């Protein structure tokens, strides 16, 4: 960030460069996610990773096939399958027969997967509370509202992890 002197008013003006906005937004995201995962590790989920959270959301409460998970995450069926393999190995998900089609397997969340999601929700609320205390509730709400307005109704997408890798 450059500080420049505004010749019209003879004072230092904090001038931000356009490239700083996405870096600041990402730094905020990273700060929150790192804090979340440190707390999840303390609460019994030391192997949970940010990509797992996106995958657990893609599986959803009803379960999903590897193809559906891949589409939701914006990755190939094979990449989704590897992620599912890891979630199964960690006890967050399980594969089960699809009652509607014996040829397909459905991935479902296990009690451990549901637990990490529930704990994540609580920790996210705690983090937001600390941000509200630091910035003020009104200022934080204005920030959230402004970002929501600019990103639109489809601003949140589960394919972020695949987007970064792609």
């Amino acid at each position: 960030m450059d500080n420049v002197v505004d010749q019209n008013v003879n004072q230092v003006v904090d001038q931000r460069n356009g490239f700083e906005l996405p870096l600041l937004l990402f730094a905020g995201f990273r700060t929150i996610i790192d804090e979340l995962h440190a707390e999840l590790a303390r609460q019994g989920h030391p192997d949970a990773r940010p990509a797992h959270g996106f995958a657990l959301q893609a599986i959803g409460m009803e379960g999903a096939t590897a193809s559906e998970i891949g589409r939701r995450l914006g990755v190939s069926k094979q990449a989704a399958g590897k992620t599912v393999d890891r979630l199964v190995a960690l006890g967050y998900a399980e594969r089960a027969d699809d009652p509607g089609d014996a040829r397909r397997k459905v991935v479902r969340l296990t009690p451990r997967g549901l637990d990490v999601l529930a704990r994540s929700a609580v920790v996210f609320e705690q983090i937001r509370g600390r941000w509200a205390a630091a910035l003020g509730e009104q200022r934080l709400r204005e920030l959230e509202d402004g970002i929501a307005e600019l990103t639109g109704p489809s601003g949140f997408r589960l394919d972020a992890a695949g987007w970064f890798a792609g």
Side-chain angles (χ1 to χ4, degrees):
M1 170 173 23
D2 298 322
N3 288 325
V4 297
V5 176
D6 184 329
Q7 301 301 324
N8 296 326
V9 293
N10 198 26
Q11 66 184 25
V12 174
V13 177
D14 183 16
Q15 177 182 339
R16 292 208 182 263
N17 295 306
F19 68 86
E20 290 179 288
L21 177 60
L23 295 175
L24 288 168
L25 291 169
F26 182 71
F29 173 79
R30 177 73 190 259
T31 299
I32 290 169
I33 297 302
D34 285 350
E35 187 175 338
L36 166 74
H37 283 274
E39 183 57 31
L40 288 175
R42 282 190 283 279
Q43 292 186 24
H45 295 280
D47 295 320
R49 298 291 177 261
H52 298 159
F54 287 102
L56 293 171
Q57 292 293 326
I59 293 167
M61 299 306 287
E62 303 299 317
T65 65
S67 293
E68 291 168 332
I69 295 165
R71 277 193 301 281
R72 292 172 186 172
L73 295 175
V75 299
S76 69
K77 178 182 174 182
Q78 292 76 15
K82 282 185 174 185
T83 300
V84 169
D85 289 343
R86 185 70 183 135
L87 293 173
V88 168
L90 293 171
Y92 293 122
E94 64 186 4
R95 288 186 173 90
D97 292 330
D98 183 340
D101 185 345
R103 298 169 295 170
R104 294 186 334 165
K105 293 283 187 186
V106 174
V107 180
R108 292 198 176 98
L109 300 176
T110 63
R112 182 167 170 77
L114 294 169
D115 181 67
V116 76
L117 288 177
R119 289 176 186 273
S120 295
V122 170
V123 175
F124 278 134
E125 288 300 319
Q126 293 168 343
I127 294 169
R128 189 194 180 282
R130 283 194 294 282
W131 281 47
L135 296 174
E137 181 63 39
Q138 167 113 13
R139 197 167 156 210
L140 181 57
R141 174 112 20 223
E142 288 171 357
L143 177 63
E144 292 167 331
D145 290 346
I147 292 170
E149 182 180 332
L150 291 170
T151 59
S154 62
F156 177 73
R157 295 173 39 183
L158 291 176
D159 67 351
W163 179 80
F164 272 117

